[in-house]
Amino acid sequence: MAAAPSTDSDDGCPKCGHTDAEVGKISTTGGGLSKMFDIQTNSFRVVSCTNCGYSELYRDTGSAGSDIVDVFLG
């Protein structure tokens, strides 16, 4: 099934419409022994709007940050 065509109102930050974003990375622990020994088992990319700070987390699967920004900005 094809994706719906993008319109101008769909581009940019979902909250404020700004078109600049920064990509960061965070790691978190899981449960059980990994939590007890503080072993970082989950990795995420964080895409944040540079205007309002709205952020979304994406599971890090080794893809490039620019691909994730394209998803965030539409």
Side-chain angles (χ1 to χ4, degrees), residues 29-53:
T29 60
L33 291 176
S34 65
K35 186 173 183 178
M36 184 186 317
F37 292 107
D38 195 25
I39 299 171
Q40 309 298 310
T41 58
N42 300 306
S43 181
F44 298 91
R45 299 261 178 173
V46 182
V47 180
S48 301
C49 175
T50 58
N51 183 52
C52 70

Side-chain angles (χ1 to χ4, degrees), residues 2-59:
S6 177
T7 62
D8 289 338
S9 64
D10 291 337
D11 292 340
C13 171
K15 189 171 181 179
C16 74
H18 193 71
T19 57
D20 289 330
E22 294 178 342
V23 178
K25 188 174 181 178
I26 65 168
S27 296
T28 63
T29 60
L33 291 176
S34 65
K35 186 173 183 178
M36 184 186 317
F37 292 107
D38 195 25
I39 299 171
Q40 309 298 310
T41 58
N42 300 306
S43 181
F44 298 91
R45 299 261 178 173
V46 182
V47 180
S48 301
C49 175
T50 58
N51 183 52
C52 70
Y54 175 80
S55 300
E56 291 184 354
L57 298 176
Y58 295 89
R59 185 172 298 281

